[in-house]
Amino acid sequence: MTIQTAQHEHWGQARGLVARRYADRGYLCNDLSTQPDGAEIICSAFEGACTVGTIAVRFDDAHGLRADAIFANELHALRAEGLRLCEFGRLALDHDIAESKGLLGHLFHVAYLHAHRLACCNLLVIEVNPRHVAFYRRMLGFKVHAEARLNPRVNAPAVLMTLDLIWAREQIGRLGGSAAGAQAARTLYSYFYDAAAEAALLAKLRQ
């Protein structure tokens, strides 16, 4: 399995995977455009030529983030503090993937490299269904920043959560590559790449 920044010819596969997984959960699939607009990067996992996992990294620009649609006041307040925001979204894994934690950890790590190590963002925001809040808090250290509101893009409630990417960098350095250890059940960071693999990935992304 390989994980990389998806080229434009693969964006349609990523969109299809997201649409299928959203439909499985009963979500609407509005606003799933994969047309490049300069503010978004798609990271995907491949088995052969097939996309089996995907996550979108969106950078803050004049048009804002997707979360601004329902959490504009909260995001404006964070910007006023001088924080550099980015957003992860459209996360989807193929249901046939057995080792989902490993895949999820690697996808998040590549997305983190784009967001923090390359773009120098220091705060990550996500919108998650309330039933997933406990997972993101426990396994990745996200904090709830605003309680649930209806997200019209998926016709489901969404909670705004934030993650300090400087803190996340410390966790990756301490725990990355340790999935065989006892802490694997307690944190997703143990499924991130180790320091050597991260350095190799970062060098490749910078090319």
Side-chain angles (χ1 to χ4, degrees), residues 138-179:
R138 182 182 71 253
M139 299 296 283
L140 285 162
F142 278 88
K143 296 179 180 179
V144 172
H145 195 79
E147 297 299 330
R149 297 172 192 169
L150 180 67
N151 184 338
R153 294 196 306 276
V154 295
N155 194 34
V159 174
L160 181 68
M161 302 189 78
T162 60
L163 178 66
D164 180 342
L165 289 175
I166 297 173
W167 178 87
R169 182 172 180 170
E170 295 171 355
Q171 306 313 302
I172 294 167
R174 185 169 63 89
L175 298 169
S178 63

Side-chain angles (χ1 to χ4, degrees), residues 60 75 77-86 121-123 145:
D60 210 6
L75 296 184
L78 291 171
R79 294 179 183 109
E81 294 177 21
L83 294 166
R84 189 180 178 107
L85 308 183
C86 62
C121 298
N122 51 26
L123 190 73
H145 195 79

Side-chain angles (χ1 to χ4, degrees), residues 2-7 10-11 13-15 17-18 40-46 51-59 87-93 103-115 118 193 201 205:
T2 60
I3 297 179
Q4 62 190 57
T5 306
Q7 301 301 311
H10 298 129
W11 283 27
Q13 286 191 38
R15 178 181 57 191
L17 178 59
V18 172
E40 192 167 81
I41 289 173
I42 305 296
C43 303
S44 293
F46 299 92
T51 300
V52 295
T54 188
I55 189 170
V57 184
R58 189 164 189 88
F59 302 106
E87 180 179 46
F88 288 2
R90 301 179 188 173
L91 172 65
L93 304 182
L103 173 56
L104 189 60
H106 288 171
L107 273 175
F108 263 94
H109 199 159
V110 174
Y112 151 86
L113 291 176
H114 279 289
L118 296 180
Y193 294 103
L201 275 170
L205 293 176

